[in-house]
Amino acid sequence: MKFIAPNLALHLLGILPFLSLAALASPSSAQTRLPSNLMPQPANIKQTAGALRIDANFTVALSGHTEPRLQRASERFLTQLHRQTALLFAKTSSDAAKATLVVHTDHASKEIQELGEDESYSLEVTATGAKLNAANPLGVLRGLQTFLQLVEVTPGGFAAPAVTIEDQPRFPWRGLMIDVSRHFIPLGVLKRNLDGMEAVKMNVFHWHLSENQGFRVESKKFPKLHELGSDGLYYTQEEIHDFIIYARDRGIRVVPEFDMPGHSTAWFVGYPELASGSGPYSVERRWGIFDPAIDPTREDTYKFLDELIAEMAKLFPDNYFHIGGDEVNGKEWDANKKIQEFKKSHNLKTNEDLQAYFSQRVQKLVTKHGKAVVGWDEVFIPGVPKDIVIQSWRGQQSLAAAAQQGYHGILSNGYYLDLGWSAARHYAVDPMSGAAAGLTDDQKKLILGGESCMWSEYVDPENIDSRIWPRNAAIAERFWSPQSVTDSSSRVSGSDPALTLYSRLDVESARLEWLGLTHRSYYHKMLQRIAGPASPEEFAALRNLADVVEPVKDYTREQTAPVEPNSQLPLSRLVDAVSLESDAGRHFSELVDKFLAASCRDTATAYELRTQLALWSQNDAAFATLALKSALAQEAVLTSRDLSAIGTVGLRALDAIATGKPLATDQQSQLNSVLSEAAKPKAQLILIPAAALRKLIDAASQPNTCAPAKP
Amino acid sequence: MKFIAPNLALHLLGILPFLSLAALASPSSAQTRLPSNLMPQPANIKQTAGALRIDANFTVALSGHTEPRLQRASERFLTQLHRQTALLFAKTSSDAAKATLVVHTDHASKEIQELGEDESYSLEVTATGAKLNAANPLGVLRGLQTFLQLVEVTPGGFAAPAVTIEDQPRFPWRGLMIDVSRHFIPLGVLKRNLDGMEAVKMNVFHWHLSENQGFRVESKKFPKLHELGSDGLYYTQEEIHDFIIYARDRGIRVVPEFDMPGHSTAWFVGYPELASGSGPYSVERRWGIFDPAIDPTREDTYKFLDELIAEMAKLFPDNYFHIGGDEVNGKEWDANKKIQEFKKSHNLKTNEDLQAYFSQRVQKLVTKHGKAVVGWDEVFIPGVPKDIVIQSWRGQQSLAAAAQQGYHGILSNGYYLDLGWSAARHYAVDPMSGAAAGLTDDQKKLILGGESCMWSEYVDPENIDSRIWPRNAAIAERFWSPQSVTDSSSRVSGSDPALTLYSRLDVESARLEWLGLTHRSYYHKMLQRIAGPASPEEFAALRNLADVVEPVKDYTREQTAPVEPNSQLPLSRLVDAVSLESDAGRHFSELVDKFLAASCRDTATAYELRTQLALWSQNDAAFATLALKSALAQEAVLTSRDLSAIGTVGLRALDAIATGKPLATDQQSQLNSVLSEAAKPKAQLILIPAAALRKLIDAASQPNTCAPAKP
């Protein structure tokens, strides 16, 4: 038996704690890299000399203002640091004089977290220790996450580079909305998403709690809301209370949304008298915009809402209360004679006027119970009180219009996670761009930030994490970091040329997995369901295919559904399993670009391309036998054939390039027609490599594609 | 946009529940296969015509004897069926007349589950419904798991083949032992392992609760046991109570072990007066056999044990109480004059005699508190009461010796999960083989079964599942299924030639993941820690390497440790992350066999081999750059070089075979010496493909390796 000499590495990882520390090399190589994986990037960072080794002796001490929440944050911090490093830290907290990381908090934050509270912090890491200072616990929470992101494995063990960071958020409202109504999402899943939000410094959880498809909160005042309107899937008030504490521990406000007067069918199952139609109503199973709407003309409606809002305003301590307000189609109003008469007698010309009347009355109730209103674009109507916050699903223009009239707004247009956009595309959306860019400085201050939105038509507890993460981390950076931080700027800001948005997302993604999110691990499980008792070769064929397809984008899935989608359909199809953004597809595209940019005689890249293409060209054989066995695999048979077809196309293009014989026009058009067919979505899946292959055919059609070999 | 016609498949998956059922094709193709993935295989199974479709209308009804445990089992069953199929089942239980699966239970089982209770059941599945009958709830629990395993995706959707099963266990004691003392394992991890045990019909959880490294149970009588002997890592009595209910729900007995008189250093931290040495004692951090042992000569010792056993016998309701008894080295006894005098005055010649004296007195205490004793081989001494159960870590021979004298025994030798054996190797061990095969029928009845053992020197909450599963499922089958069920028999019992132990383990492994076990998902997370901020290419290189190495086997890790291992070392090395049994290594070996068995002109296999070998031969380039960045990757640099070297060796062998020019003797010996070097473990890792490559070199050295191409 022969043993090599990894001992130095082992020492530095704490694997030889009994040896003298003096014998250990300094992890000086950590000095040569800028901290590469901060997400969101801090407002100000300066690198200094050296690095702080992280080993089992690492300790944290709290000084200044203390409270149990800070103690819990420090324990959570050590747990996560353990997950990242596997180091076993001493349980006992230590005094400030000796601790590795000394946290100083000036004073308490507000008892109920408020919009705009100070979240700034400063963090100084040197080779001998680290200091985190913040005005209040919120800044401490943010700074602890930054510290965790600084810790990396280095040649000398785990270390945090020496840096000085002064950081504060760009926007005070940095939210994630989750729709728990179209598909019910259990609290455990929501909690791990709060953990993810904390990791990327988001501070508002917007809880979309009621919809046509479900009313998800226990109401003691009106129990038929949850008893008849939720299929038994709701949160008790006690659970909600605990959840809010959990969020507060992470510096996250919880804003509840009760969407009205539309999107409210589930309310009417138990309380049909609230509706504008004659009922009876049942919990909606389909997706879409539906007719049922609250009757805005009956005084009893406002009596009911007064009592409900009173109850919910007490349950949810946040200052803001979201009343929805979106997408009322007015059909029930039009069909109701009494409502028509009411409109006439109150001089309300349009249904928009009627909704404005309703909104104003509801806003007064919300105000009466001590809260400020948040609503979707539709609630922004002339004369609403100035403390309202407009959440724009329409875009920067409507946000700008509101700001010009002195109203606060947050942007969600561009941040809809369910549309399947790439992280880079979401990341490029800025609340201050477009119409908002032209606002005065004072008006700009009215734009409070934004929220990403996870609408839940096609997510369930199994795949929801994968639809939120890691893309949401890019959006979180957009809300926290200075506007100047962009993908292209991050590519050059450090010494490491690979420091792209995606390389940072990769690292953040791993951290989020350690936190307990399942956005990667779900994938194998869902593929196994589709594969059933597949052979290893068949399973590999399924995975090869799944790795390079994405669901159709935007609302195409809705519009092209082979059967009418609804809440009772299992989300077990390939389109539910695959990632919204194919890493393998992106890597292939980069590989093609690299091949074409370099000399075609770059044989290593050519070999890699050829291996990949050959794999695809042969992949359908095993997939086809799987599809004969599994009904869940069956719908992807044509996509699988397309993948093999484009693999063969790519090989022919490579051959043409390698031999220097350009494709003839008819060959070229034949290959292009294969690509065109493959580029058509089938089974609601997009075959990602098709686009990159077109470049390869173009290159193969040029006579002088290859630069001459350099001698 | 073009849509294909997957609608039939979608219907059958419940994706079109609004269509008439009559329009649906029967999933008749499920008839053509024997149920392939039952594990453990039932005692008797007969396939009949047709299959039972499983869709969203599936319901379960309980009839006959009922109790809340059966209701919970039925809910758990539906939850797991949902995880397997993603189908959304109605929540309401239905009456027997209409239910798809009707469960009938004759009567209650014992209030405290007993050894040898009836666990038999019969299960009849037809195209129209299923009936599960059992004498008591234990049989129902077993049968529900069989039903879950019958459900598979088929061309026509999910279905269970029509079968008639009459099943009962071969052995009444089918256990898993987990050592929670060397590394503390939290209850959540243990619970998911109970779920896994239920899935494979194991019925005893042996809880190794005390060790030199920790006393893990709250004692109200002697609180310094857990307060000073556990580093704060122990289970409260309330938690234990809940855990036992959780186990009982799954038909699992909980047998606690308090190991004495050795393996007890942690007891002495709080109660040094119990020890034979002079102390002081501290919780042991190292692994191994240590000197401290209980003083068997003082009457106060037995007074203490009387009270402790009284307390623990009440806390753990099972009839059996494990007192350990293994590995006393006697050094503290030899060094203690009073003990030496006691031996003389009591005519105890050896330390074995002294331990026998101790054991007998402890056994009397256990009996006094209403329990029967289980102990390791060492407690089997002439004259012990007949109700004792010997747990043999030594092997079938000592089990047979005990049986010949009328003592019960269970086998653990051959089932130590920590030794890194393959599933096939564990599976080949039979409690009735070797010396036990020669016992009379009456003596054979004394062999109650066996237990797999998870000793925890090298497991922690992160990787423990991967060290237990899926291999433990093979052991569970050994304990449940008839002796005639072997890997080779299972290969031919069905119509599917791929029905090997490993193909069934693969399927079972997926099911275990759906249950919440992390034996596969942990892998990526641990590799990410090692990789740190690696590029995608570097990460792939790490994974390629990790996929084909295994930890050194048996006690080699202990014996060859580069630094003295102990409980404070993080389990973050590659050897902690990689699987104990490399799937990729096994597949490669099968591929080589296939290539050599077929004509060498089997170009598809040759291509697959070549691709794999080329990948390996190039793999070290990216790994080497990673190793420069990560201290955790660093120790594998030589193993990575070896992998690339054997990849190149394999390519040269393939070339020789392809060209028909056999390797010259010196070439052959040169390549073999590369393999020999690669076959030496480094960084405590074994490079698995090295063995299969030797076959390839042998073939490449033969002049007429290739059969002539068939015309």
Side-chain angles (χ1 to χ4, degrees):
Chain A
M1 191 94 32
K2 183 185 167 193
F3 284 93
I4 59 168
N7 293 12
L8 184 61
L10 296 176
H11 299 173
L12 293 166
L13 291 162
I15 293 184
L16 255 188
F18 310 128
L19 288 196
S20 143
L21 278 176
L24 305 178
S26 147
S28 59
S29 48
Q31 296 170 26
T32 62
R33 312 178 65 211
L34 261 181
S36 55
N37 297 308
L38 299 177
M39 183 165 250
Q41 295 205 352
N44 298 287
I45 179 165
K46 204 179 79 183
Q47 188 160 29
T48 55
L52 174 64
R53 174 178 309 134
I54 310 293
D55 59 25
N57 299 314
F58 182 91
T59 51
V60 193
L62 301 172
S63 65
H65 166 76
T66 56
E67 58 180 55
R69 179 165 65 150
L70 284 166
Q71 193 55 47
R72 291 194 294 271
S74 144
E75 284 160 18
R76 214 161 56 242
F77 167 86
L78 283 173
T79 299
Q80 179 66 354
L81 193 59
H82 163 70
R83 289 180 182 140
Q84 287 182 214
T85 63
L87 292 164
L88 296 159
F89 303 111
K91 289 254 154 184
T92 49
S93 70
S94 75
D95 61 297
K98 292 182 198 158
T100 324
L101 171 62
V102 179
V103 177
H104 184 89
T105 315
D106 290 349
H107 53 71
S109 61
K110 297 287 169 65
E111 198 168 339
I112 293 160
Q113 190 175 331
E114 286 180 13
L115 173 67
E117 277 194 85
D118 190 351
E119 294 177 85
S120 69
Y121 67 92
S122 68
L123 176 62
E124 191 187 0
V125 180
T126 69
T128 55
K131 287 198 177 89
L132 170 61
N133 293 317
N136 67 48
L138 296 174
V140 171
L141 293 172
R142 308 303 170 230
L144 287 174
Q145 295 302 318
T146 302
F147 189 91
L148 285 172
Q149 297 189 354
L150 285 171
V151 176
E152 281 188 349
V153 70
T154 74
F158 287 98
V163 287
T164 303
I165 289 174
E166 299 285 340
D167 198 11
Q168 71 281 329
R170 178 180 172 209
F171 291 113
W173 189 304
R174 307 178 307 280
L176 166 65
M177 186 215 80
I178 296 184
D179 166 11
V180 297
S181 299
R182 288 181 174 84
H183 276 98
F184 180 70
I185 307 295
L187 285 170
V189 179
L190 296 181
K191 282 183 178 174
R192 70 190 185 217
N193 277 283
L194 289 183
D195 293 343
M197 290 174 68
E198 181 189 25
V200 296
K201 302 185 171 59
M202 276 189 157
N203 68 354
V204 179
F205 178 71
H206 168 175
W207 209 348
H208 187 82
L209 284 162
S210 76
E211 259 301 341
N212 300 310
Q213 292 83 0
F215 189 99
R216 303 297 184 193
V217 181
E218 176 192 28
S219 170
K220 297 190 176 174
K221 194 79 200 166
F222 302 108
K224 285 189 284 183
L225 282 172
H226 65 276
E227 285 170 3
L228 300 182
S230 78
D231 300 305
L233 299 169
Y234 63 91
Y235 314 105
T236 67
Q237 295 205 357
E238 197 183 337
E239 287 172 335
I240 289 169
H241 181 70
D242 286 349
F243 183 78
I244 291 168
I245 292 172
Y246 191 94
R248 175 179 157 76
D249 258 14
R250 287 150 183 80
I252 297 169
R253 296 165 41 214
V254 176
V255 175
E257 176 181 354
F258 296 91
D259 203 348
M260 52 186 134
H263 288 281
S264 48
T265 310
W267 306 41
F268 306 150
V269 186
Y271 299 92
E273 62 273 23
L274 285 174
S276 306
S278 53
Y281 294 91
S282 59
V283 170
E284 183 57 59
R285 305 291 173 204
R286 297 160 298 164
W287 312 136
I289 298 171
F290 298 97
D291 301 347
I294 290 175
D295 184 345
T297 68
R298 294 178 62 239
E299 279 309 305
D300 280 355
T301 295
Y302 300 103
K303 196 164 161 261
F304 180 100
L305 291 176
D306 188 11
E307 292 181 43
L308 180 66
I309 292 170
E311 183 184 19
M312 295 303 152
K314 208 171 278 174
L315 180 60
F316 293 93
D318 196 77
N319 183 51
Y320 287 87
F321 194 93
H322 202 305
I323 59 168
D326 55 322
E327 299 179 327
V328 182
N329 71 11
K331 286 190 189 167
E332 273 200 355
W333 291 347
D334 293 341
N336 182 321
K337 277 189 190 164
K338 279 177 60 190
I339 294 178
Q340 292 307 309
E341 284 161 15
F342 182 91
K343 278 170 71 177
K344 271 182 213 150
S345 66
H346 286 69
N347 198 24
L348 300 165
K349 285 181 190 139
T350 65
N351 283 337
E352 286 68 38
D353 293 341
L354 183 59
Q355 185 174 348
Y357 168 83
F358 174 79
S359 289
Q360 281 165 339
R361 294 210 49 182
V362 173
Q363 283 164 31
K364 275 181 197 142
L365 296 176
V366 171
T367 307
K368 171 183 165 190
H369 295 294
K371 308 282 175 172
V373 157
V374 190
W376 299 99
D377 284 308
E378 287 91 333
V379 302
F380 172 51
I381 35 180
V384 291
K386 294 276 170 171
D387 66 350
I388 198 172
V389 173
I390 315 290
Q391 178 165 19
S392 180
W393 61 271
R394 290 180 176 156
Q396 287 93 336
Q397 190 147 20
S398 78
L399 216 54
Q404 278 157 354
Q405 295 183 43
Y407 290 95
H408 286 100
I410 54 177
L411 184 66
S412 281
N413 179 295
Y415 305 125
Y416 271 28
L417 295 163
D418 51 312
L419 299 187
W421 293 13
S422 69
R425 185 170 171 195
H426 284 306
Y427 190 64
V429 176
D430 195 288
M432 290 300 185
S433 65
L439 295 173
T440 67
D441 283 353
D442 277 353
Q443 288 166 347
K444 280 183 177 170
K445 281 182 194 146
L446 296 170
I447 297 184
L448 301 172
E451 281 186 5
S452 52
C453 293
M454 182 74 261
W455 299 106
S456 66
E457 280 89 346
Y458 299 108
V459 297
D460 65 10
E462 190 175 28
N463 73 352
I464 188 171
D465 291 3
S466 76
R467 275 48 189 150
I468 298 177
W469 307 98
R471 296 177 307 146
N472 192 48
I475 298 172
E477 175 159 292
R478 177 58 51 239
F479 296 156
W480 177 280
S481 302
Q483 190 166 9
S484 59
V485 174
T486 63
D487 188 17
S488 41
S489 78
S490 79
R491 280 175 200 263
V492 296
S493 69
S495 58
D496 185 340
L499 197 61
T500 63
L501 172 66
Y502 282 103
S503 71
R504 291 189 296 127
L505 267 181
D506 261 3
V507 175
E508 186 54 32
S509 190
R511 282 200 205 98
L512 293 166
E513 271 196 296
W514 284 320
L515 270 179
L517 286 158
T518 63
H519 56 295
R520 283 183 172 170
S521 59
Y522 86 104
Y523 183 55
H524 196 248
K525 295 183 197 178
M526 289 191 75
L527 292 188
Q528 280 174 316
R529 181 185 298 129
I530 294 169
S535 71
E537 292 71 26
E538 288 162 354
F539 188 83
L542 171 64
R543 206 190 44 231
N544 291 338
L545 177 64
D547 279 351
V548 292
V549 293
E550 293 176 8
V552 288
K553 305 291 166 190
D554 299 311
Y555 294 107
T556 312
R557 180 160 178 188
E558 215 94 293
Q559 292 152 1
T560 60
V563 298
E564 184 174 24
N566 69 70
S567 62
Q568 303 308 291
L569 292 188
L571 297 179
S572 55
R573 295 170 58 199
L574 196 52
V575 69
D576 300 309
V578 300
S579 176
L580 296 192
E581 190 169 10
S582 159
D583 283 342
R586 186 162 42 78
H587 291 153
F588 179 76
S589 172
E590 288 165 0
L591 198 65
V592 168
D593 289 346
K594 184 177 165 195
F595 173 74
L596 294 177
S599 158
C600 304
R601 301 185 205 278
D602 167 7
T603 52
T605 307
Y607 177 83
E608 210 177 325
L609 269 182
R610 188 172 286 278
T611 305
Q612 179 65 80
L613 292 165
L615 181 81
W616 288 340
S617 74
Q618 296 165 14
N619 199 65
D620 188 50
F623 187 87
T625 66
L626 173 63
L628 290 176
K629 292 192 269 185
S630 163
L632 283 168
Q634 198 176 306
E635 65 167 333
V637 281
L638 291 189
T639 311
S640 172
R641 275 183 228 160
D642 284 347
L643 178 63
S644 281
I646 68 171
T648 306
V649 163
L651 288 173
R652 288 185 56 190
L654 279 189
D655 286 345
I657 292 170
T659 58
K661 290 183 196 158
L663 296 170
T665 313
D666 60 335
Q667 291 174 313
Q668 187 188 344
S669 79
Q670 190 215 332
L671 297 186
N672 271 325
S673 80
V674 173
L675 285 192
S676 299
E677 178 57 31
K680 292 177 192 160
K682 300 178 184 82
Q684 308 197 288
L685 295 167
I686 304 172
L687 190 57
I688 298 303
L693 279 170
R694 201 168 291 276
K695 296 186 199 171
L696 215 53
I697 296 185
D698 288 348
S701 310
Q702 304 300 321
N704 50 359
T705 303
C706 287
K710 286 174 190 160
Chain B
M1 191 98 28
K2 183 185 167 189
F3 284 95
I4 58 166
N7 293 11
L8 185 61
L10 296 177
H11 299 173
L12 294 165
L13 291 162
I15 293 183
L16 256 189
F18 310 128
L19 287 197
S20 142
L21 277 176
L24 304 177
S26 147
S28 59
S29 50
Q31 296 170 27
T32 62
R33 311 177 67 209
L34 262 181
S36 55
N37 297 307
L38 299 177
M39 184 165 249
Q41 294 206 354
N44 298 288
I45 179 166
K46 204 180 80 188
Q47 188 160 27
T48 54
L52 174 65
R53 174 177 311 134
I54 310 293
D55 60 24
N57 298 315
F58 181 90
T59 50
V60 193
L62 300 173
S63 65
H65 166 76
T66 56
E67 57 179 58
R69 179 166 64 152
L70 284 167
Q71 193 54 48
R72 290 193 295 271
S74 145
E75 284 161 17
R76 215 161 55 241
F77 167 85
L78 283 174
T79 299
Q80 180 66 355
L81 193 58
H82 163 69
R83 288 178 182 141
Q84 287 182 212
T85 63
L87 291 165
L88 296 159
F89 303 110
K91 289 255 154 185
T92 50
S93 69
S94 75
D95 62 295
K98 293 181 198 160
T100 324
L101 171 62
V102 179
V103 177
H104 184 88
T105 314
D106 291 349
H107 54 72
S109 61
K110 297 287 169 64
E111 197 166 342
I112 293 160
Q113 190 176 330
E114 286 181 13
L115 174 66
E117 276 194 86
D118 190 352
E119 295 176 85
S120 69
Y121 68 92
S122 67
L123 176 62
E124 191 187 0
V125 180
T126 69
T128 55
K131 289 199 177 89
L132 170 62
N133 293 317
N136 68 46
L138 297 174
V140 171
L141 293 173
R142 309 302 170 233
L144 287 175
Q145 294 303 318
T146 302
F147 189 91
L148 285 172
Q149 296 189 355
L150 285 172
V151 177
E152 281 188 350
V153 69
T154 74
F158 287 98
V163 287
T164 303
I165 290 175
E166 299 284 340
D167 198 12
Q168 71 282 328
R170 177 179 173 210
F171 291 112
W173 189 304
R174 306 178 308 279
L176 166 65
M177 187 214 79
I178 296 184
D179 166 12
V180 298
S181 299
R182 289 180 174 84
H183 276 98
F184 181 69
I185 307 295
L187 286 170
V189 179
L190 296 181
K191 282 183 178 175
R192 68 189 187 218
N193 278 282
L194 290 184
D195 293 342
M197 289 174 68
E198 182 190 26
V200 296
K201 303 183 170 60
M202 277 188 154
N203 68 354
V204 180
F205 178 71
H206 169 175
W207 208 348
H208 188 82
L209 284 162
S210 76
E211 259 301 339
N212 300 310
Q213 292 83 0
F215 189 99
R216 303 297 184 194
V217 182
E218 176 192 26
S219 169
K220 296 189 177 178
K221 193 79 201 167
F222 301 108
K224 284 188 285 183
L225 282 173
H226 66 276
E227 285 171 3
L228 300 181
S230 78
D231 300 306
L233 298 169
Y234 63 91
Y235 313 105
T236 67
Q237 296 205 356
E238 197 183 337
E239 287 171 336
I240 289 169
H241 182 70
D242 287 349
F243 183 78
I244 290 168
I245 293 171
Y246 191 94
R248 175 178 158 75
D249 259 12
R250 286 150 184 81
I252 297 170
R253 297 164 41 213
V254 176
V255 175
E257 176 181 354
F258 295 91
D259 203 350
M260 51 186 135
H263 287 282
S264 48
T265 310
W267 306 41
F268 307 150
V269 186
Y271 300 93
E273 62 273 22
L274 285 174
S276 307
S278 52
Y281 294 91
S282 58
V283 170
E284 184 58 59
R285 304 292 174 203
R286 297 159 299 165
W287 313 137
I289 298 172
F290 298 96
D291 303 346
I294 289 175
D295 185 344
T297 68
R298 293 177 64 238
E299 278 310 305
D300 280 356
T301 295
Y302 300 102
K303 193 161 163 266
F304 181 99
L305 291 177
D306 188 12
E307 293 182 43
L308 180 66
I309 292 170
E311 183 184 19
M312 295 303 152
K314 207 170 279 176
L315 180 59
F316 293 94
D318 196 78
N319 183 49
Y320 287 89
F321 194 93
H322 203 304
I323 60 168
D326 55 320
E327 300 179 326
V328 183
N329 71 11
K331 285 189 188 168
E332 272 200 354
W333 292 347
D334 293 340
N336 181 323
K337 277 188 186 163
K338 279 177 59 189
I339 293 177
Q340 292 306 311
E341 284 160 16
F342 182 91
K343 277 170 72 178
K344 270 181 212 149
S345 67
H346 286 70
N347 198 26
L348 300 165
K349 286 182 186 138
T350 64
N351 282 338
E352 286 69 38
D353 293 341
L354 183 58
Q355 184 172 350
Y357 167 84
F358 174 80
S359 288
Q360 280 165 339
R361 294 212 45 184
V362 173
Q363 282 163 32
K364 275 182 197 142
L365 296 176
V366 171
T367 306
K368 172 182 164 191
H369 296 295
K371 308 282 176 173
V373 157
V374 191
W376 299 99
D377 284 309
E378 288 90 333
V379 301
F380 172 51
I381 34 181
V384 291
K386 294 276 170 171
D387 66 350
I388 197 170
V389 173
I390 314 290
Q391 178 165 19
S392 180
W393 59 271
R394 289 179 177 156
Q396 288 92 335
Q397 189 147 22
S398 77
L399 216 54
Q404 279 158 352
Q405 295 183 44
Y407 290 94
H408 286 100
I410 53 177
L411 184 66
S412 280
N413 180 293
Y415 305 124
Y416 272 28
L417 295 164
D418 50 312
L419 299 187
W421 293 13
S422 70
R425 185 170 172 194
H426 284 306
Y427 190 64
V429 176
D430 194 288
M432 290 298 184
S433 66
L439 296 174
T440 67
D441 282 353
D442 277 353
Q443 288 166 345
K444 279 182 177 170
K445 281 181 195 146
L446 296 170
I447 297 184
L448 301 173
E451 282 186 5
S452 52
C453 293
M454 181 74 261
W455 299 105
S456 66
E457 281 90 344
Y458 298 108
V459 296
D460 65 10
E462 189 174 30
N463 73 352
I464 187 170
D465 291 2
S466 76
R467 273 51 189 150
I468 299 177
W469 306 101
R471 297 177 306 147
N472 193 48
I475 298 172
E477 175 160 290
R478 177 57 51 239
F479 296 157
W480 177 281
S481 302
Q483 189 166 9
S484 59
V485 174
T486 63
D487 189 16
S488 38
S489 77
S490 79
R491 279 175 200 266
V492 294
S493 68
S495 59
D496 186 339
L499 197 61
T500 63
L501 172 66
Y502 282 102
S503 71
R504 292 189 296 127
L505 267 182
D506 262 2
V507 175
E508 186 54 33
S509 190
R511 282 199 205 98
L512 293 166
E513 269 194 297
W514 284 319
L515 269 179
L517 286 159
T518 62
H519 57 294
R520 282 183 172 170
S521 59
Y522 85 105
Y523 183 55
H524 196 246
K525 295 183 197 181
M526 288 190 75
L527 292 188
Q528 280 174 316
R529 181 185 298 129
I530 294 168
S535 72
E537 293 72 27
E538 289 163 353
F539 188 83
L542 170 64
R543 207 191 43 233
N544 291 338
L545 177 64
D547 279 352
V548 292
V549 293
E550 293 177 8
V552 288
K553 305 292 165 187
D554 300 310
Y555 294 107
T556 312
R557 180 159 178 189
E558 215 95 291
Q559 292 152 1
T560 60
V563 298
E564 184 173 23
N566 70 70
S567 61
Q568 303 307 291
L569 292 189
L571 296 179
S572 54
R573 296 170 58 201
L574 196 52
V575 69
D576 301 308
V578 300
S579 175
L580 295 192
E581 190 168 11
S582 160
D583 284 341
R586 184 162 43 76
H587 291 152
F588 179 76
S589 174
E590 289 165 359
L591 197 66
V592 168
D593 289 347
K594 184 178 166 195
F595 174 74
L596 295 176
S599 157
C600 305
R601 301 185 206 278
D602 167 5
T603 51
T605 308
Y607 178 84
E608 210 177 326
L609 269 181
R610 188 172 286 278
T611 305
Q612 179 66 79
L613 291 164
L615 181 81
W616 288 341
S617 75
Q618 296 165 14
N619 198 64
D620 186 53
F623 187 87
T625 65
L626 173 63
L628 290 175
K629 292 192 270 185
S630 162
L632 283 168
Q634 199 174 308
E635 64 167 334
V637 280
L638 292 188
T639 311
S640 172
R641 274 183 228 164
D642 284 346
L643 178 63
S644 282
I646 67 171
T648 306
V649 163
L651 288 173
R652 288 186 56 189
L654 280 189
D655 286 345
I657 293 169
T659 57
K661 291 181 194 160
L663 295 170
T665 313
D666 60 335
Q667 291 174 312
Q668 186 188 344
S669 81
Q670 190 215 336
L671 297 187
N672 271 325
S673 80
V674 173
L675 285 192
S676 300
E677 178 57 31
K680 293 178 192 161
K682 302 177 182 81
Q684 310 197 286
L685 295 168
I686 305 172
L687 190 57
I688 299 303
L693 279 169
R694 201 169 291 277
K695 297 185 198 170
L696 215 54
I697 295 184
D698 288 349
S701 309
Q702 305 299 320
N704 50 359
T705 303
C706 287
K710 286 173 192 165

